[in-house]
Amino acid sequence: MDEKEKQQLLLLADHYFQSKNYPFAEHILEKVIQSEPNNSKANELLAYIFGNRGDEKQSFSLLQLACHQSDCSPEALYYFGLAKLKRQLYREAIDPLKKSITKAGEYFEALHDLGYLPLEIRAAQEGSFVKCGVPALVLWNTHPDFSWH
């Protein structure tokens, strides 16, 4: 599986995850992990799915795997720190929580340096009728390094 295909699968899995379609997201994430076992984004999303199911042990180990990668997200570090706090591992929780704050700051600095908000807003025409369940407003990412949920 090449890098472009992996990124497309991760975007699709993220879409399914955001729409709470966890079985489809899990299936796609397992494909990515089969190709790249240490993919931080895939392990992170899979950890959230297991966490939503109540499988805290599996969720913790997947977050741990995701957080040992250099491209780990600030959110994964934050939730990993919280998981350690739940397990009363107070001293061990400090490091991921500190890293989460640092990475989040770097993210906003990079966004500021970009000079624009990489977001496209699509909306139904004013005054038009839309069916129930159809969003009147949709936000689209326009830059791969900055995601908006």
Side-chain angles (χ1 to χ4, degrees):
M1 177 181 308
D2 66 0
E3 193 61 34
K4 185 177 180 181
E5 184 180 358
K6 221 179 290 177
Q7 290 305 319
Q8 289 174 336
L9 286 174
L10 285 171
L11 285 172
L12 185 60
D14 189 46
H15 168 75
Y16 283 132
F17 177 81
Q18 295 300 325
S19 58
K20 297 183 181 359
N21 193 338
Y22 301 131
F24 280 138
E26 183 176 357
H27 178 72
I28 292 168
L29 292 168
E30 286 173 350
K31 281 185 180 179
V32 173
I33 289 173
Q34 187 176 16
S35 170
E36 183 187 346
N38 292 329
N39 186 292
S40 65
K41 184 65 176 176
N43 282 299
E44 176 185 350
L45 287 174
L46 206 50
Y48 298 151
I49 290 170
F50 279 98
N52 285 333
R53 278 193 202 143
D55 188 344
E56 297 297 322
K57 185 177 180 181
Q58 184 66 17
S59 178
F60 185 84
S61 74
L62 288 165
L63 273 176
Q64 187 173 30
L65 185 58
C67 291
H68 279 80
Q69 308 308 314
S70 61
D71 61 343
C72 178
S73 75
E75 293 85 2
L77 288 162
Y78 172 75
Y79 286 115
F80 187 51
L82 286 183
K84 285 187 174 204
L85 288 175
K86 276 185 174 179
R87 292 175 172 214
Q88 299 181 348
L89 301 170
Y90 303 115
R91 290 191 190 276
E92 291 179 29
I94 293 170
D95 188 48
L97 292 171
K98 276 184 175 180
K99 285 180 181 176
S100 172
I101 292 167
T102 302
K103 276 198 170 203
E106 292 168 359
Y107 174 85
F108 287 109
E109 286 174 12
L111 182 60
H112 180 269
D113 292 344
L114 186 61
Y116 68 96
L117 193 59
L119 193 61
E120 181 179 329
I121 302 170
R122 298 179 184 180
Q125 188 173 359
E126 188 175 345
S128 64
F129 290 99
V130 293
K131 292 181 180 180
C132 188
V134 174
L137 179 88
V138 179
L139 303 176
W140 288 89
N141 295 333
T142 61
H143 196 289
D145 294 337
F146 301 96
S147 63
W148 302 92
H149 300 289

